[in-house]
Amino acid sequence: MFVSILMLLVMIGAAFGLSGLASTGPGIQNEYVLWASPAYPTNGSAAGVVVWVADVFGEGRPDVDIALGEPVLPNDPDFVFRERATRITNGTGWVAFPDLGPGFWPLEMRVGILTSTSLVFLDPSPPPGNATLWLRRFEVLGDGAARDVGLQVMRPEGRPVAGAEVRLNGTLQGMTSGDGFFHLRLGAGVWSVAVDVAGERLGQDVFVTESLVSLPIASGPDSILFFLAYILMGVFGPIVAIALSYDALAKERFQGSLELLLVRPATRTGLAVGKFLGTFASVAVPVVGVQLASLAGIAGLTGEWPEAGFAAAFILGTMALLASYVLIMQIFSTFMKSAGTAILSAFFVWLVFNALWNLVILAGTAVLGIEGGTPEYFSFVASALLLNPSGVFQLTLTAYLPPHLLGAFGASLGGLPTWSGPVAFVMWIAGLLVVAVLVFKTKVV
Amino acid sequence: MIDIQGLTKVYGRSRAVHVRALDSVSFDVPDRTIFGFLGPNGAGKTTTIRILATILPPTEGAASVGGHDVRDEALEVKRLIGYMPEFPGFYPTMTGEQHLDYWGRFYRLPRADRRRRSKDLMDLVGLGAERSKKAKAYSHGMLKRLGLAQALLHDPPVLILDEPAGGLDPHGIIFFRNLMKRLNRDGKTIFLSSHILGEVQQTCTHVGVIHRGRMVATGTTDEIQRKMGRTIAPKALVEARDVPDALVEELRRLPHVTAVDRTDWGLIVTMDEDVRAAVNGHLVYAGVEVRGIKLAEVTLEDAFVALTGGEAT
């Protein structure tokens, strides 16, 4: 009871504290992004340039000055912008410069004191294919990693492709907007971004580095829940589960009640499973209460409920995390003959799966010769997480992150499929349960 | 009711910890008897009891209760037996009544039955007034009584009790003795181990003696005593006062007399044959007034000491 109340206070307090922090949001350079594309008219006219000014999320910016310069030579070190024409974006952020002909055409976007220059190459003939994918990356969260990806899909004639399916590592993320835009936020690692247009797949790989900031500032219900889930539940969950289950069997043994349990008309398998369920319930019931109270607290503080799928992953993932640790401790407890050794085993389990796991990863990369920050490194880290219930918990939460948080705070699946976390949990729990039953049948006498 | 054939239990696989706790133990416990299981410390009593209670698997041999093998039909055996370990452990924060209710659920007793049964049993073992107290407030004797109550919860035909009277005060011992006899009259077979030989002699109808993992005697209590009476050196209890030292020395030199000890009331003459007539004649001839001379009865304790070589229980 005491642990539950303490946990509740910590989680509500954290939610309250986080709700008061301001969002960093995109900076001015991310609020006004110049998207310029060649336009090859089908009526035989000379090629031109179409321009969209939008933020990183693809929201158009009207009334922005766009200047077209005289054509230039590529890589000209003496380049000077000589203005040829100036136009203002319309209500959707669009503006066009038709009938320009082949060459390198410079563009300038002018927003207050901000001037951004871009160069568009117009080929004498249209490029092959149905569409072109323009992909740009931004650092929005201020964590040192360019994890926000904006993309626009354009047809050769200069029209945007609306409704094109955007996939991330093969998983559908959504469809392009009416102006051909789509936004992704990625975690550290290598990502394959692909867009399907009329049977043609346009794709590009994106490599996102680790966050350079250890504790990001978050806002909004999902961000707060993210923090509660990853940081607080990731830390407190194992501690609570271990603290309440480390002597589940050892205590029965040294207080003498185990013998009275063993002579009841139940099979050893039934007794082992029953012991697990009883211990798990004693841990899970108060924790679920804390979780529901936390969700309600987040909603009360921010005025919004966290995204349902993410909240469900938070609750179910936590249950699986607790079940895994309860089973691990039940197995250890089967062998422990005294309170002292039981406590030592609890500390050992927590230490290995939480405090020392990074050392395990470090040792693994050293032995295998994997260089940090490479795609192989991220893949190895994610795979290593599968061998640790706390790591599987992280992967499970990451798999169900809302799209706008995808990749936030360095969360990454490292190329693993989204189902890897939940499936790993099922395997962990099933495997541990089998081991717990076997050791109970053979070692409990 | 209980049948044990060639039961062997070996602890530890490595040579360093290899212990043969039971070595081809065989005996049976007839239905509706009170069987006292005796043996020195480490003889194998608790190991045997734990095998019968299905807690420990035997290494070799077979044991059955009510015709059900303890290894292959453990569930049936568990339904037939009520088991009380030497030190029954309880959950400190649960009351006596809550314990009985909790254990009762394993036998799928309906809630009303559990309540009624718990109350009846708490009254039976003399804990009626203490049933709402937490186990941590119970004395050793009260925990023993609660241990017996939980063993009786499902009204089993067989009770397996490890040292039921161990550590009890005289009132507790008398209480347990009377309760054992009452339960036996009600038709229960009781298999108990005990260190208190006098108690076993008063309570048990049958006795088995185990020594260093082997059975050295089984039978009714009388049979054991009679059997041992033939092998234990007879003792003459001579009721006579003021026997001179010189005469005691003469008695020691008589044929077949192996020892003479003084007591408050006379002499104890240990013999390898019954030579009471010669002893009596010698004393009377010397002018000593002999008020009585009789052979000492062989007690269970004598038998036990003779069977186990004098090792402590």
Side-chain angles (χ1 to χ4, degrees), chain A residues 77 142 171 309 387 439:
Chain A
T171 304
L387 303 175
V439 296

Side-chain angles (χ1 to χ4, degrees), chain B residues 243-276:
Chain B
V243 182
D245 289 344
L247 190 53
V248 170
E249 282 305 313
E250 284 180 26
L251 288 178
R252 284 185 179 132
R253 287 195 291 272
L254 284 178
H256 303 296
V257 172
T258 57
V260 179
D261 300 300
R262 284 185 183 276
T263 68
D264 291 344
W265 40 262
L267 304 171
I268 298 176
V269 181
T270 307
M271 310 162 287
D272 56 17
E273 262 184 34
D274 187 359
V275 289
R276 279 178 292 168

